[in-house]
Amino acid sequence: MNLGFFTMPIHPLEKDWRQSLQEDREAFLLADELGFTEGYVGEHITDRAENITSCVAFLAWIAAATKQIKLGTGTINMPNTHPATVAATVAMLDHMLDGRLIFGISPGGLLSDAELFGNLDADRNAMLVEAINQVLAIWEGEAPYNIQGKYWNISTQRTSIPDIGQGVIARPLQRPHPPIVVTAVAPFSKGVSEAAARGWDPISANFLMPAWVKTHWPKYVEGCERLGRAADPANWRIAKSIFVAKDAATARAYATDPNGPYVYYYRSLFTKLKKGGRIDLFKTRRDQPDHEVTLDMICDRLIIHGTPESVADQLLAFRAEVGEFGILLYAGKDWKDRELARRSMILMAEDVMPKVNAGAPRRSRSQPFND
C-alpha cells in the first residue's frame, strides 16, 4: 500500500488566510519530502473555512517546490468552470509539473457554489459528463474547434489563424491526457462504475462510513469488466482522517478535543451534509434513525488516532473490513498545533506505513483499542 495526501482543509474562520495557505503549502512540501506518492487539493469558492478557491492555482504555486510527488486536482468541480478553461489550465499545469499531474474531477458537492454558478437545480452529473467529454475532445481534436453541447458550445472557427497559432488550445504533456480520478461519496456509487468503464479510477471519501466505502469496490469491478480492463486494487484510493502521536494520551487529546481541528472538521461537514439532506453518508446502516447520527458517533467511527502501533492496527482492521486497496490518502486538517501536525505526518510515513505493509498482527475485532 502506498501513502498519499488529500486535503480540503477546514480552517477556523478567524484564521489569517495567508497563514492557512502557507500551512497547507507546507503540508504538501513535507509530504513530498517524506515520500508520499501523490497529493490532492480541493477547491471551493463560497466557503470561508474551506478556503482554497482554485486547486489549479494552488498546485501551480507549489509545482516548482516539489520534486517527486504526483499532484492532483481534488477536484475540479466541472459544472462551475467552462470546459475550455479547464482544458487549457490543466494542460499548462501538466507541463509545469513535467507530467506529474493527476486530473481529479467531480460534479461539485458544495451547494452554495452550485447556487453561485447557477446550477443548483441542474443535473450536475450530466454537466460533469458533458464537460469532461468536451475537455477530452479538445485535447484529441484539432483547431479550429466546433464542439456543441447542451450546456456549453466551443468554437474558434470564426477567428482561427493556424499559421500563427491563434485559436489553438494546448494539449497536456501526458498523452492522451493525465490520469483521471473521480471522488466517490455515495454508497454503491454508480459514478464509480461509470468512471471505471472509461478507464478512470476512484477516490473514496474520508467522511464515508467503512460499510459504504466497501461498496465502491464491486462497482469498480463492474465498470472495469464493461471496458475489459483488469480491476486492480492498486488503483483504488481511500482517504482517511488519521492522527499519530508518540504517546496515546497526546493522540487522544488532539484528535478528540471538541475545539481541535479533527472534531472541527467533522462538525463542519456534519452541519453541511445534514442541511443538504445527505445525513445518510454518516449512517452505519440504511435503516438507522437520523437521531442516532451524532457528532460524537461520527468522530468515533471516522477518526483514527493513537500511537504508530495502534494506528497501524486500526488501519489493518479497516483494510480487512473494506478489502484491499492500493493508496491510503492521509486527509489533511488545519494545523492548530504545527508541530503535532507535522509530527503526525512524519510518524505516518516513517513508522505506521512500514508496519501496515509488513502486515503487523491485528487485534481481534472484539478487543477494544486502548492505544
Side-chain angles (χ1 to χ4, degrees), residues 74-96:
T75 58
I76 293 178
N77 302 317
M78 299 294 281
N80 301 341
T81 308
H82 195 288
T85 299
V86 175
T89 55
V90 168
M92 183 175 73
L93 184 58
D94 193 35
H95 282 264
M96 294 172 72

mmCIF file of all heavy atoms in Angstrom, residues 74-96:
data_model
loop_
_atom_site.group_PDB
_atom_site.id
_atom_site.type_symbol
_atom_site.label_atom_id
_atom_site.label_comp_id
_atom_site.label_asym_id
_atom_site.label_seq_id
_atom_site.Cartn_x
_atom_site.Cartn_y
_atom_site.Cartn_z
ATOM 1 N N GLY A 74 -8.193 17.979 -6.704
ATOM 2 C CA GLY A 74 -9.002 17.086 -5.876
ATOM 3 C C GLY A 74 -10.257 17.700 -5.294
ATOM 4 O O GLY A 74 -10.396 17.671 -4.099
ATOM 5 N N THR A 75 -11.159 18.204 -6.063
ATOM 6 C CA THR A 75 -11.210 18.039 -7.524
ATOM 7 C C THR A 75 -11.565 19.379 -8.184
ATOM 8 O O THR A 75 -11.959 20.325 -7.490
ATOM 9 C CB THR A 75 -12.315 17.023 -7.922
ATOM 10 O OG1 THR A 75 -13.580 17.507 -7.416
ATOM 11 C CG2 THR A 75 -12.052 15.646 -7.341
ATOM 12 N N ILE A 76 -11.436 19.399 -9.521
ATOM 13 C CA ILE A 76 -12.046 20.486 -10.275
ATOM 14 C C ILE A 76 -13.545 20.199 -10.349
ATOM 15 O O ILE A 76 -13.956 19.130 -10.803
ATOM 16 C CB ILE A 76 -11.441 20.603 -11.683
ATOM 17 C CG1 ILE A 76 -9.973 21.035 -11.582
ATOM 18 C CG2 ILE A 76 -12.236 21.586 -12.533
ATOM 19 C CD1 ILE A 76 -9.275 21.143 -12.918
ATOM 20 N N ASN A 77 -14.344 21.138 -9.888
ATOM 21 C CA ASN A 77 -15.800 20.981 -9.903
ATOM 22 C C ASN A 77 -16.307 21.394 -11.283
ATOM 23 O O ASN A 77 -16.552 22.570 -11.548
ATOM 24 C CB ASN A 77 -16.427 21.818 -8.787
ATOM 25 C CG ASN A 77 -15.880 21.424 -7.421
ATOM 26 O OD1 ASN A 77 -15.721 20.249 -7.117
ATOM 27 N ND2 ASN A 77 -15.563 22.414 -6.594
ATOM 28 N N MET A 78 -16.446 20.426 -12.159
ATOM 29 C CA MET A 78 -16.603 20.680 -13.586
ATOM 30 C C MET A 78 -17.798 21.551 -13.972
ATOM 31 O O MET A 78 -17.674 22.385 -14.879
ATOM 32 C CB MET A 78 -16.643 19.351 -14.337
ATOM 33 C CG MET A 78 -15.381 18.509 -14.182
ATOM 34 S SD MET A 78 -13.920 19.254 -14.924
ATOM 35 C CE MET A 78 -14.190 18.859 -16.657
ATOM 36 N N PRO A 79 -18.970 21.428 -13.340
ATOM 37 C CA PRO A 79 -20.083 22.284 -13.765
ATOM 38 C C PRO A 79 -19.841 23.771 -13.544
ATOM 39 O O PRO A 79 -20.548 24.604 -14.127
ATOM 40 C CB PRO A 79 -21.250 21.789 -12.902
ATOM 41 C CG PRO A 79 -20.897 20.386 -12.553
ATOM 42 C CD PRO A 79 -19.410 20.411 -12.367
ATOM 43 N N ASN A 80 -18.859 24.104 -12.705
ATOM 44 C CA ASN A 80 -18.654 25.501 -12.323
ATOM 45 C C ASN A 80 -17.644 26.233 -13.199
ATOM 46 O O ASN A 80 -17.392 27.423 -12.984
ATOM 47 C CB ASN A 80 -18.190 25.583 -10.867
ATOM 48 C CG ASN A 80 -19.183 24.976 -9.905
ATOM 49 O OD1 ASN A 80 -20.351 24.803 -10.235
ATOM 50 N ND2 ASN A 80 -18.723 24.640 -8.709
ATOM 51 N N THR A 81 -17.048 25.540 -14.167
ATOM 52 C CA THR A 81 -15.997 26.143 -14.990
ATOM 53 C C THR A 81 -16.201 25.761 -16.447
ATOM 54 O O THR A 81 -16.543 24.614 -16.747
ATOM 55 C CB THR A 81 -14.603 25.663 -14.529
ATOM 56 O OG1 THR A 81 -14.469 25.870 -13.127
ATOM 57 C CG2 THR A 81 -13.495 26.429 -15.246
ATOM 58 N N HIS A 82 -15.975 26.682 -17.338
ATOM 59 C CA HIS A 82 -16.112 26.394 -18.764
ATOM 60 C C HIS A 82 -15.103 25.316 -19.162
ATOM 61 O O HIS A 82 -13.926 25.390 -18.780
ATOM 62 C CB HIS A 82 -15.875 27.658 -19.594
ATOM 63 C CG HIS A 82 -16.326 27.560 -21.006
ATOM 64 N ND1 HIS A 82 -15.652 26.801 -21.940
ATOM 65 C CD2 HIS A 82 -17.394 28.100 -21.653
ATOM 66 C CE1 HIS A 82 -16.271 26.884 -23.105
ATOM 67 N NE2 HIS A 82 -17.346 27.664 -22.956
ATOM 68 N N PRO A 83 -15.530 24.299 -19.901
ATOM 69 C CA PRO A 83 -14.616 23.210 -20.274
ATOM 70 C C PRO A 83 -13.363 23.669 -21.006
ATOM 71 O O PRO A 83 -12.297 23.063 -20.842
ATOM 72 C CB PRO A 83 -15.488 22.309 -21.162
ATOM 73 C CG PRO A 83 -16.881 22.581 -20.720
ATOM 74 C CD PRO A 83 -16.920 24.031 -20.341
ATOM 75 N N ALA A 84 -13.457 24.713 -21.793
ATOM 76 C CA ALA A 84 -12.264 25.198 -22.496
ATOM 77 C C ALA A 84 -11.243 25.750 -21.514
ATOM 78 O O ALA A 84 -10.027 25.579 -21.694
ATOM 79 C CB ALA A 84 -12.648 26.265 -23.521
ATOM 80 N N THR A 85 -11.723 26.393 -20.459
ATOM 81 C CA THR A 85 -10.816 26.889 -19.425
ATOM 82 C C THR A 85 -10.140 25.724 -18.715
ATOM 83 O O THR A 85 -8.930 25.759 -18.449
ATOM 84 C CB THR A 85 -11.594 27.746 -18.411
ATOM 85 O OG1 THR A 85 -12.161 28.872 -19.080
ATOM 86 C CG2 THR A 85 -10.680 28.225 -17.292
ATOM 87 N N VAL A 86 -10.910 24.694 -18.387
ATOM 88 C CA VAL A 86 -10.337 23.516 -17.752
ATOM 89 C C VAL A 86 -9.282 22.885 -18.651
ATOM 90 O O VAL A 86 -8.171 22.563 -18.204
ATOM 91 C CB VAL A 86 -11.439 22.482 -17.418
ATOM 92 C CG1 VAL A 86 -10.816 21.197 -16.868
ATOM 93 C CG2 VAL A 86 -12.431 23.058 -16.416
ATOM 94 N N ALA A 87 -9.592 22.699 -19.921
ATOM 95 C CA ALA A 87 -8.647 22.070 -20.853
ATOM 96 C C ALA A 87 -7.344 22.843 -20.924
ATOM 97 O O ALA A 87 -6.250 22.257 -20.895
ATOM 98 C CB ALA A 87 -9.282 21.957 -22.239
ATOM 99 N N ALA A 88 -7.445 24.154 -21.010
ATOM 100 C CA ALA A 88 -6.242 24.975 -21.172
ATOM 101 C C ALA A 88 -5.407 25.029 -19.896
ATOM 102 O O ALA A 88 -4.170 24.885 -19.935
ATOM 103 C CB ALA A 88 -6.640 26.387 -21.603
ATOM 104 N N THR A 89 -6.050 25.225 -18.741
ATOM 105 C CA THR A 89 -5.291 25.370 -17.499
ATOM 106 C C THR A 89 -4.700 24.042 -17.041
ATOM 107 O O THR A 89 -3.575 24.004 -16.527
ATOM 108 C CB THR A 89 -6.169 25.971 -16.393
ATOM 109 O OG1 THR A 89 -7.344 25.174 -16.223
ATOM 110 C CG2 THR A 89 -6.584 27.387 -16.737
ATOM 111 N N VAL A 90 -5.448 22.965 -17.209
ATOM 112 C CA VAL A 90 -4.925 21.655 -16.816
ATOM 113 C C VAL A 90 -3.760 21.261 -17.723
ATOM 114 O O VAL A 90 -2.755 20.702 -17.251
ATOM 115 C CB VAL A 90 -6.045 20.594 -16.855
ATOM 116 C CG1 VAL A 90 -5.473 19.179 -16.729
ATOM 117 C CG2 VAL A 90 -7.041 20.848 -15.729
ATOM 118 N N ALA A 91 -3.854 21.566 -19.006
ATOM 119 C CA ALA A 91 -2.746 21.272 -19.917
ATOM 120 C C ALA A 91 -1.488 22.027 -19.497
ATOM 121 O O ALA A 91 -0.385 21.457 -19.466
ATOM 122 C CB ALA A 91 -3.137 21.642 -21.352
ATOM 123 N N MET A 92 -1.633 23.306 -19.163
ATOM 124 C CA MET A 92 -0.467 24.086 -18.746
ATOM 125 C C MET A 92 0.107 23.540 -17.441
ATOM 126 O O MET A 92 1.333 23.413 -17.289
ATOM 127 C CB MET A 92 -0.845 25.557 -18.580
ATOM 128 C CG MET A 92 0.355 26.441 -18.208
ATOM 129 S SD MET A 92 -0.014 28.208 -18.138
ATOM 130 C CE MET A 92 -0.968 28.287 -16.620
ATOM 131 N N LEU A 93 -0.781 23.185 -16.501
ATOM 132 C CA LEU A 93 -0.312 22.665 -15.212
ATOM 133 C C LEU A 93 0.447 21.361 -15.397
ATOM 134 O O LEU A 93 1.455 21.120 -14.721
ATOM 135 C CB LEU A 93 -1.497 22.472 -14.273
ATOM 136 C CG LEU A 93 -1.189 22.014 -12.853
ATOM 137 C CD1 LEU A 93 -0.257 22.996 -12.142
ATOM 138 C CD2 LEU A 93 -2.481 21.842 -12.054
ATOM 139 N N ASP A 94 0.001 20.515 -16.300
ATOM 140 C CA ASP A 94 0.694 19.257 -16.550
ATOM 141 C C ASP A 94 2.114 19.522 -17.055
ATOM 142 O O ASP A 94 3.059 18.822 -16.681
ATOM 143 C CB ASP A 94 -0.088 18.423 -17.561
ATOM 144 C CG ASP A 94 0.401 16.979 -17.625
ATOM 145 O OD1 ASP A 94 0.797 16.429 -16.572
ATOM 146 O OD2 ASP A 94 0.391 16.395 -18.720
ATOM 147 N N HIS A 95 2.278 20.540 -17.880
ATOM 148 C CA HIS A 95 3.622 20.908 -18.345
ATOM 149 C C HIS A 95 4.450 21.495 -17.207
ATOM 150 O O HIS A 95 5.644 21.187 -17.080
ATOM 151 C CB HIS A 95 3.527 21.903 -19.508
ATOM 152 C CG HIS A 95 3.180 21.258 -20.808
ATOM 153 N ND1 HIS A 95 4.133 20.885 -21.734
ATOM 154 C CD2 HIS A 95 1.985 20.904 -21.342
ATOM 155 C CE1 HIS A 95 3.546 20.329 -22.780
ATOM 156 N NE2 HIS A 95 2.243 20.337 -22.580
ATOM 157 N N MET A 96 3.843 22.308 -16.358
ATOM 158 C CA MET A 96 4.567 22.893 -15.228
ATOM 159 C C MET A 96 5.067 21.812 -14.285
ATOM 160 O O MET A 96 6.124 21.951 -13.660
ATOM 161 C CB MET A 96 3.660 23.864 -14.474
ATOM 162 C CG MET A 96 3.266 25.097 -15.272
ATOM 163 S SD MET A 96 2.024 26.109 -14.435
ATOM 164 C CE MET A 96 2.994 26.810 -13.108
#
